[in-house]
């Protein structure tokens, strides 16, 4: 065993981008080299908890800091102090400051802050202020900076620290997301889509950042031009009810298909003809990478980092109210042919999880060895 590592996450494990990143790497890490445990904020069981434990990881549940701040700090301190960890790798963006500061007081020398976004996920002014305070203090608690993209690194750690940021690819299992013609047929049949339907897909939680309401506006314009278009939305989240109501108010209920967050999302990409993502902000969207791996043309907001265009099949468009018609026009004129070379492009750029996990292991070993000298 070369090291004990504690991963820190902000809430229960959901089917989201950060969780997908963590699990992709965790599944492919050599468990004989590293013992990786998880500190989770909140006491709700997540969708990956059983899998983590089956692979040998331990999960520590601590109360939310906003609800029980004293117990939260005490429990994190005790876990860090007693765990024998050489490294803490925190995945809470700005709020990684708190557990990393505690880890430092426990004598843990390697403390990694990992940026997965380009904006605070907070939903009110007080939380944003607190998050911004934590973001500015983060360099005092972290010893190493990781980010999913250059843009995400600049946002969390600042322009002056960008040379110290290691960009870690949000790698995926490329074989899992490779286009499958037979799967396309079966999934479309299950959803009630015909061969003549043009299916637009989106994968993401129903939260402010994902901007579902904008996509509904675009789709409403499309349906006025052609009845061929169908929209498939995959995910869960607090705004799902509001999005469903918007769909109903526009009379689009028969053409929009809602699919709950699921473990077989890879199957659904095969049924899509086009992928759309009008996010207000993203770190480095794993869903968009998966869509590209499937060979899809992707039309996305220009708020996303240009680094995400791995295949050359991503078009970036502004998400203003007066650009809705531009989105609709781009979709109407999009090339719906799949890119048969997409998988190889993803692999060549280092986004295969099999290769990326090995590189991550080597990085962990270097950090642990450098600290022991």
């Amino acid at each position: 065993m070369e090291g004990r590592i504690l991963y820190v996450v902000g809430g229960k494990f959901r089917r989201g981008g950060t969780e997908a990143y963590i699990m992709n790497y965790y599944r492919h890490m050599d468990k004989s080299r590293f013992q990786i445990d998880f500190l989770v904020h909140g006491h709700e069981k997540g969708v990956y908890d059983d899998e983590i434990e089956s692979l040998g990881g331990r999960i520590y549940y601590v109360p939310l800091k906003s609800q029980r701040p004293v117990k939260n700090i005490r429990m994190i301190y005790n876990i860090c102090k007693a765990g024998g960890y050489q490294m803490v790798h925190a995945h809470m963006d700005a709020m990684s400051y708190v557990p990393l500061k505690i880890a430092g007081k426990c004598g843990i020398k390697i403390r990694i802050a990992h940026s997965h976004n380009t904006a605070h996920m907070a939903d009110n002014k007080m939380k944003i202020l607190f998050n911004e305070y934590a973001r500015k203090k983060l360099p005092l608690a972290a010893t190493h900076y990781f980010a999913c993209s250059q843009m995400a690194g600049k946002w969390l750690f600042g322009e002056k620290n960008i040379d110290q940021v290691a960009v870690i690819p949000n790698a995926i299992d490329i074989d899992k997301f490779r286009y499958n013609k037979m799967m396309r047929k079966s999934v479309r049949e299950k959803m009630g889509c015909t061969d003549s339907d043009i299916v637009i897909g989106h994968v993401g939680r129903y939260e402010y950042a994902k901007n579902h309401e904008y996509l509904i506006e675009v789709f409403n314009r499309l349906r006025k031009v052609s009845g061929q278009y169908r929209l498939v939305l995959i995910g869960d989240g607090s705004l799902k009810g509001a999005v469903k109501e918007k769909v109903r108010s526009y009379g689009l209920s028969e053409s929009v298909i809602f699919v709950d967050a699921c473990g077989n999302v890879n199957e659904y990409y095969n049924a899509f003809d086009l992928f759309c993502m009008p996010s207000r902000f993203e770190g480095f969207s794993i869903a968009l990478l998966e869509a590209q791996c499937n060979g899809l043309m992707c039309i996305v907001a220009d708020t996303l980092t240009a680094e995400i265009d791995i295949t050359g099949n991503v078009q970036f468009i502004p998400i203003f109210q007066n650009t809705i018609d531009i989105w609709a026009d781009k979709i109407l004129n999009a090339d719906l042919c799949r890119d048969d070379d997409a998988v190889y492009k993803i692999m060549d750029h280092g986004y295969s999880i099999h290769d990326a996990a090995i590189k991550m292991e080597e990085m962990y070993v270097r950090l642990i060895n450098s600290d022991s000298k």
Side-chain angles (χ1 to χ4, degrees), residues 40-113:
V40 176
H41 286 73
H43 295 282
E44 289 184 71
K45 187 173 181 178
V47 295
Y48 299 120
D49 291 25
D50 289 341
E51 182 182 357
I52 288 170
E53 292 177 339
S54 73
L55 292 172
R58 289 180 294 189
I59 304 174
Y60 302 101
Y61 302 93
V62 302
L64 296 172
K65 191 172 187 295
S66 59
Q67 296 177 359
R68 304 188 67 181
V70 175
K71 188 172 183 180
N72 169 275
I73 292 170
R74 184 170 65 246
M75 286 188 70
I76 294 174
Y77 182 89
N78 291 339
I79 291 164
C80 289
K81 196 70 175 175
Y85 298 108
Q86 285 90 18
M87 180 187 303
V88 173
H89 188 164
H91 299 271
M92 297 171 59
D93 292 333
M95 291 312 297
S96 293
Y97 167 67
V98 175
L100 291 182
K101 182 180 179 182
I102 296 169
K105 290 184 175 181
C106 292
I108 297 174
K109 299 291 182 64
I110 304 166
R111 304 183 299 277
I112 302 169

Side-chain angles (χ1 to χ4, degrees), residues 316-328:
F316 299 89
I317 309 176
I319 46 172
F320 303 119
Q321 189 64 29
N322 63 1
T323 58
I324 290 174
D325 284 335
I326 296 175
W327 276 74

Side-chain angles (χ1 to χ4, degrees), residues 304-315:
L304 277 69
T305 174
E307 300 164 68
I308 192 64
D309 185 9
I310 305 299
T311 61
N313 298 322
V314 180
Q315 295 184 35

